[in-house]
């Protein structure tokens, strides 16, 4: 029986399809430039919407060459929980509340303080 062992392919390791006759989707190469002159080239699909800005590998914001600068967002800044808390109480009041709560927690645990 050992002379009639089955031979096959590993599952998932290789594809039975070939690349012959496959055309890639049409693409366009877009250039962005940072304020210090660094060029960034990005490839998009031809029907993709091109963003006005792109973040380069160095972390700098690059603007689309021959594009317009996006308008600044003049919306209100996001209020944090701390901002909302300070609208209702002063920092002195918050210090008193904190001390009171810490005393209650320590007494519940049996700590002496």
């Amino acid at each position: 029986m050992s002379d009639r062992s089955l031979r096959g392919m590993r599952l998932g390791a290789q594809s039975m399809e070939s690349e012959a006759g496959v055309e890639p989707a049409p693409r366009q190469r877009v250039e962005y430039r940072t304020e210090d002159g660094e060029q960034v080239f990005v490839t998009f699909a031809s029907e993709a919407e091109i963003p006005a800005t792109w973040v380069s590998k160095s972390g700098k914001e690059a603007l689309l060459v021959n594009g317009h600068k996006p308008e600044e967002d003049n919306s209100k800044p996001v209020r944090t929980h701390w901002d909302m808390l300070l609208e209702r109480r002063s920092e002195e009041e918050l210090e008193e509340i904190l001390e009171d709560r810490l005393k209650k927690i320590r007494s519940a645990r049996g700590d002496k303080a």
Side-chain angles (χ1 to χ4, degrees):
M1 198 147 174
S2 64
D3 60 333
R4 295 179 38 176
S5 64
L6 296 174
R7 298 199 179 254
M9 293 182 58
R10 295 170 290 198
L11 292 176
Q14 297 172 341
S15 173
M16 299 299 287
E17 296 181 22
S18 69
E19 297 284 328
V22 176
E23 288 291 324
R27 297 178 246 181
Q28 57 181 328
R29 188 172 185 215
V30 180
E31 181 183 356
Y32 291 90
R33 194 167 291 141
T34 62
E35 287 182 2
D36 61 354
E38 178 185 351
Q39 291 180 320
V40 179
F41 294 98
V42 184
T43 304
F44 292 100
S46 62
E47 64 271 356
E49 185 176 324
I50 308 300
T53 60
W54 192 264
V55 178
S56 69
K57 289 181 181 179
S58 61
K60 300 173 188 168
E61 187 174 276
L63 297 174
L64 181 65
V65 174
N66 299 329
H68 62 281
K69 187 170 183 159
E71 294 99 30
E72 295 293 323
D73 187 18
N74 294 332
S75 63
K76 292 169 50 174
V78 177
R79 286 178 29 203
T80 64
H81 294 292
W82 180 249
D83 294 332
M84 291 184 263
L85 187 61
L86 288 177
E87 289 174 4
R88 295 187 307 248
R89 301 194 188 271
S90 68
E91 288 194 40
E92 292 81 24
E93 286 178 300
L94 293 172
E95 286 289 333
E96 290 175 20
I97 294 170
L98 176 63
E99 285 301 317
D100 184 44
R101 296 305 299 166
L102 287 174
K103 284 178 188 175
K104 286 183 181 180
I105 291 171
R106 288 176 182 145
S107 66
R109 286 195 291 179
D111 292 348
K112 295 178 184 175

